[in-house]
Amino acid sequence: MEIKPKIGFDDIKFGMHRDDILEILGEPDRIVMDIHDGFEQRLEWNKPKIRLTFHYEENDRLTNIISKNCETQFLGKKLMGMDIREAKSQIFGNLTGNWKVKDYEYFETHFNEDLWLTLCSEFGKVVEVEMGVPFKNEEEYDWPL
């Protein structure tokens, strides 16, 4: 599973409609409705360990990707289990160096606003990758072309 910051992963792109993604991935194992966040729907696939969020107000278009898939990689390098410092410096270091770190006691999030990418770490290792479609401004998504 090759991630493409600001774009998506593999053949899945931000802005794609849910039906188009279902044709690629098949039916999800679980659907969760978030009534507190614009009635977004999160679709989960167990085998590839991915969770995709579709925004109701954006005509069910893909806005967020979460992966716990061991094969998640960027530029051909696997991220899961990698030392978080090495991932940020060696893999993403040439793209940008601005990371905001939040400590939640049992895990940390490392957010890069330029890439709209979050690496979650536990015990100093990457355990989850989250990407969102970036924004043009406070109200408008910057969909990939």
Side-chain angles (χ1 to χ4, degrees):
M1 180 177 157
E2 182 75 24
I3 64 168
K4 302 168 189 170
K6 298 185 178 183
I7 296 170
F9 71 94
D10 294 340
D11 293 330
I12 307 290
K13 293 184 181 178
F14 290 117
M16 288 178 73
H17 291 92
R18 178 176 33 189
D19 290 341
D20 296 327
I21 291 175
L22 292 177
E23 284 184 32
I24 296 169
L25 296 175
E27 289 298 316
D29 295 292
R30 182 174 176 220
I31 299 174
V32 179
M33 174 75 78
D34 188 346
I35 61 171
H36 301 292
D37 197 3
F39 292 97
E40 291 181 336
Q41 282 195 346
R42 287 183 205 61
L43 280 62
E44 298 177 359
W45 286 264
N46 293 342
K47 188 173 181 181
K49 293 185 180 178
I50 57 173
R51 182 177 295 124
L52 305 181
T53 302
F54 296 85
H55 202 285
Y56 172 76
E57 293 173 354
E58 293 292 332
N59 297 317
D60 279 336
R61 294 172 78 185
L62 176 63
T63 57
N64 193 273
I65 298 166
I66 293 176
S67 174
K68 291 190 176 213
N69 184 312
C70 292
E71 299 301 315
T72 302
Q73 52 186 292
F74 180 65
L75 300 177
K77 296 182 182 173
K78 290 183 183 180
L79 297 169
M80 298 303 171
M82 179 175 232
D83 182 272
I84 187 66
R85 293 178 304 254
E86 290 177 14
K88 292 189 316 187
S89 65
Q90 294 176 12
I91 295 183
F92 296 101
N94 291 335
L95 299 175
T96 184
N98 247 350
W99 294 90
K100 295 178 185 173
V101 179
K102 288 187 180 179
D103 188 334
Y104 293 94
E105 286 190 54
Y106 300 107
F107 68 96
E108 293 179 332
T109 60
H110 304 255
F111 175 65
N112 185 303
E113 189 172 357
D114 294 338
L115 299 174
W116 213 258
L117 173 86
T118 301
L119 301 176
C120 295
S121 66
E122 292 181 8
F123 305 105
K125 305 290 184 188
V126 177
V127 295
E128 179 179 290
V129 176
E130 180 175 358
M131 296 187 307
V133 62
F135 290 89
K136 285 184 186 178
N137 53 52
E138 301 228 357
E139 298 177 9
E140 197 177 2
Y141 288 112
D142 188 10
W143 303 109
L145 300 174

